[in-house]
Amino acid sequence: MPENLLIEGPKDGVRVFTLNRPEALNALNTELLGNLSAALDEAEADAETRAVVITGSQKAFAAGADINEMAARDLVGILEDPRTTHWARISRFNKPIIAAVNGFALGGGCELAMHADIMIAGTTARFGQPEINLGIMPGAGGTQRLVRAVGERLAMQMVLTGEPIDAKRALEAGLISEICQPELTLERAVQIARTIAGKAPIAVRLARESVRKANDLNLADGLRFERHAFTVLAGTADRQEGLDAFREKRKPHFTGR
Ligand code: DAK
């Protein structure tokens, strides 16, 4: 197991990845991002893993890209930055990701949390895009996913001032879906992940894809995608099992077929 990324599970269908660079507030260097990509490769290939939780420490989910590493790269270095490939890998992961955030989620840390499908945060969480303070700008979706999550006005304020928002504001703005006591954040995220892990995997996959399409497509195309996905599910054994179980007043046993 890599030292900077702790991996637990799968247990009850869930793997938990804990970012572990306490000396740098979990700043995302190339090695850590590479380990996270590799861990996602494994989780995707493993049928037993139905959902993934990504978390950090009580003090920091992640304080951004590693500034020391970034300082060593010039324009060509940034163009050829291997981290771009790792970010792309994270964004195409095909199972649900739940982020459990306490403390700082800044810059690339906020962007990583926004790659999750569901975000739970402790009351201590601080979300921000402080890149502007370094003379740069967000580079892993902070100007795009943030706008879709909280709207243009608040996103613009965060990106241009670099000032973070707290968990309460993040909840009001729709960046996170639940707020918790910090010591319960991970437990709650795992509970949600386990609930999802108990559902029919193909239905989860298509429902997730369909919800995600809402950001990319206009309403008519989105509805068409939804209709198509809904129809595909009619061919699955799990759909039959779900309907039978309801009528027979028992719990369904889904097999992913
Ligand atoms: N990188 C490296 N080290 C960091 C770090 C970071 N982002 N953040 C904190 N550290 C280190 C500190 O240097 C310090 O190390 P020592 O001095 O003890 O050796 C240690 O972590 C503890 O930090 P502090 O002493 O500063 O702790 P405080 O509680 O006083 O302050 C803080 C916490 C989070 C407010 C502060 O550390 C801070 O402002 N950190 C920087 C936050 C930041 O600016 N983040 C944005 C980085 S830029 C891209 C993809 C993504 C990105 C770019 C490109 N491509 C795909 C192209 C993303 C860019 C960014 O995220």
Side-chain angles (χ1 to χ4, degrees):
M1 189 192 296
E3 223 170 68
N4 55 22
L5 183 74
L6 310 180
I7 303 171
E8 287 168 68
K11 184 168 180 266
D12 300 329
V14 176
R15 281 192 202 214
V16 178
F17 299 147
T18 304
L19 308 173
N20 185 43
R21 288 190 74 210
E23 72 285 2
L25 302 182
N26 293 334
L28 302 164
N29 62 6
T30 305
E31 193 193 329
L32 174 51
L33 279 174
N35 288 333
L36 183 58
S37 308
L40 290 171
D41 281 340
E42 266 185 42
E44 197 164 277
D46 172 32
E48 248 188 77
T49 302
R50 301 275 172 86
V52 158
V53 172
I54 301 180
T55 194
S57 67
Q58 289 288 325
K59 174 142 195 211
F61 177 75
D66 189 299
I67 294 174
N68 299 319
E69 205 180 54
M70 223 164 37
R73 287 187 175 272
D74 59 8
L75 189 148
V76 175
I78 294 282
L79 260 180
E80 293 169 353
D81 194 337
R83 291 174 305 169
T84 308
T85 315
H86 299 321
W87 282 107
R89 203 290 160 245
I90 297 165
S91 77
R92 63 164 196 277
F93 185 63
N94 71 4
K95 297 178 185 183
I97 301 179
I98 294 97
V101 178
N102 284 321
F104 299 111
L106 302 178
C110 186
E111 290 168 315
L112 176 60
M114 287 192 289
H115 276 70
D117 300 289
I118 297 171
M119 213 199 296
I120 307 298
T123 48
T124 58
R126 295 286 176 276
F127 298 91
Q129 299 292 159
E131 291 89 342
I132 202 82
N133 299 327
L134 303 170
I136 57 172
M137 61 176 280
T143 66
Q144 302 300 306
R145 290 192 179 89
L146 191 61
V147 173
R148 286 162 170 78
V150 306
E152 186 183 330
R153 299 287 171 267
L154 180 56
M156 192 68 90
Q157 187 174 330
M158 290 170 70
V159 168
L160 296 188
T161 67
E163 289 171 3
I165 58 171
D166 64 14
K168 186 166 167 284
R169 185 88 167 93
L171 182 68
E172 288 161 2
L175 182 59
I176 63 175
S177 50
E178 275 185 37
I179 200 165
C180 286
Q181 287 310 310
E183 55 283 6
L184 298 179
T185 313
L186 176 58
E187 193 180 316
R188 177 65 184 137
V190 169
Q191 190 183 55
I192 292 170
R194 281 192 187 143
T195 300
I196 295 168
K199 310 296 181 197
I202 303 172
V204 166
R205 185 168 173 167
L206 289 179
R208 173 181 185 260
E209 221 174 308
S210 194
V211 170
R212 287 189 155 214
K213 289 282 180 206
N215 275 330
D216 303 337
L217 301 178
N218 62 40
L219 182 61
D221 289 343
L223 290 171
R224 209 166 297 126
F225 183 91
E226 180 188 86
R227 183 79 220 150
H228 180 67
F230 186 88
T231 307
V232 167
L233 287 179
T236 64
D238 279 347
R239 172 191 184 261
Q240 199 54 50
E241 168 63 6
L243 299 176
D244 288 349
F246 177 81
R247 292 189 297 174
E248 291 161 17
K249 300 190 187 304
R250 60 174 175 81
K251 278 187 90 171
H253 175 68
F254 295 123
T255 57
R257 296 278 147 204

